[in-house]
């Protein structure tokens, strides 16, 4: 059987942590920032983890 390719979009968006969790960036920080509050923009800066319900699907996309 051929090797499974990593999904190119997923490898740009997600990174694996040392403990096996998946880090992601927040959405809504690219444009139309004038109407968003400073607090909202600041909180969108930090990365967060993928929800446990979605972890299995993301890991399938990141299989090398």
């Amino acid at each position: 059987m051929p090797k499974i390719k990593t999904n190119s979009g997923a490898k740009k968006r997600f990174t694996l942590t040392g403990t096996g969790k998946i880090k992601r960036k927040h959405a809504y920080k690219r444009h139309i920032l004038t109407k968003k509050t400073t607090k909202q923009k600041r909180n969108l800066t930090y990365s967060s983890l993928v929800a446990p319900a979605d972890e299995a699907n993301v890991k399938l996309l990141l299989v090398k």
Side-chain angles (χ1 to χ4, degrees):
M1 280 188 69
K3 293 181 181 176
I4 299 173
K5 289 189 177 179
T6 301
N7 183 285
S8 341
K11 72 182 173 187
K12 296 169 194 172
R13 288 173 170 83
F14 302 107
T15 55
L16 284 169
T17 64
T19 56
K21 295 175 183 170
I22 305 169
K23 269 179 25 174
R24 68 174 179 87
K25 298 273 189 172
H26 283 281
Y28 307 110
K29 186 83 197 298
R30 295 291 179 202
H31 59 102
I32 315 175
L33 297 173
T34 51
K35 62 174 76 172
K36 295 174 184 138
T37 63
T38 309
K39 180 179 179 181
Q40 184 181 2
K41 290 184 278 192
R42 184 177 63 245
N43 289 335
L44 291 173
T45 298
Y46 308 115
S47 59
S48 62
L49 297 174
V50 170
D54 301 322
E55 262 185 35
N57 289 331
V58 175
K59 280 186 180 173
L60 280 176
L61 296 173
L62 294 173
V63 169
K64 292 181 182 174

